[in-house]
Amino acid sequence: MGYTDLSESEVGQILQTISHEFGGTTYNLLTRNCNHFTDELCKRLTGKTPPGWINRAAKLGTMFPCVIPDEWIEPPEFETESK
């Protein structure tokens, strides 16, 4: 994807910020997956986005959601441990 002119500290700050924006409970196979995370990270680090074909399967899935089981799309419920 290229290089970044950001300092190590700036990269760390971006990672902290983006990790909060892409918390586990926000995951969605079609609209907010690891490729969406990578796309956003690349934009912030280099100003470039990965090639469109990288996340094409997810994009097609949004056009034809009837072919993908619901349990694949939504993340499991977040459970906290009681102590």
Side-chain angles (χ1 to χ4, degrees):
M1 288 305 309
Y3 298 92
T4 186
D5 292 325
L6 301 174
S7 69
E8 185 176 336
S9 176
E10 291 170 317
V11 171
Q13 182 60 47
I14 289 172
L15 285 171
Q16 286 291 323
T17 301
I18 201 170
S19 68
H20 290 293
E21 294 172 14
F22 281 82
T25 57
T26 66
Y27 182 85
N28 181 291
L29 180 66
L30 302 179
T31 61
R32 198 157 175 86
N33 62 40
C34 58
N35 292 319
H36 294 100
F37 174 88
T38 303
D39 181 82
E40 187 61 31
L41 182 61
C42 286
K43 277 192 260 186
R44 294 183 193 194
L45 293 177
T46 68
K48 300 176 190 175
T49 59
W53 58 264
I54 296 288
N55 210 17
R56 189 171 293 148
K59 191 174 290 186
L60 288 171
T62 62
M63 290 189 253
F64 304 102
C66 59
V67 299
I68 300 174
D70 287 340
E71 59 270 11
W72 287 13
I73 298 172
E74 295 300 323
E77 291 296 319
F78 178 71
E79 296 178 18
T80 58
E81 291 185 33
S82 300
K83 291 189 180 193

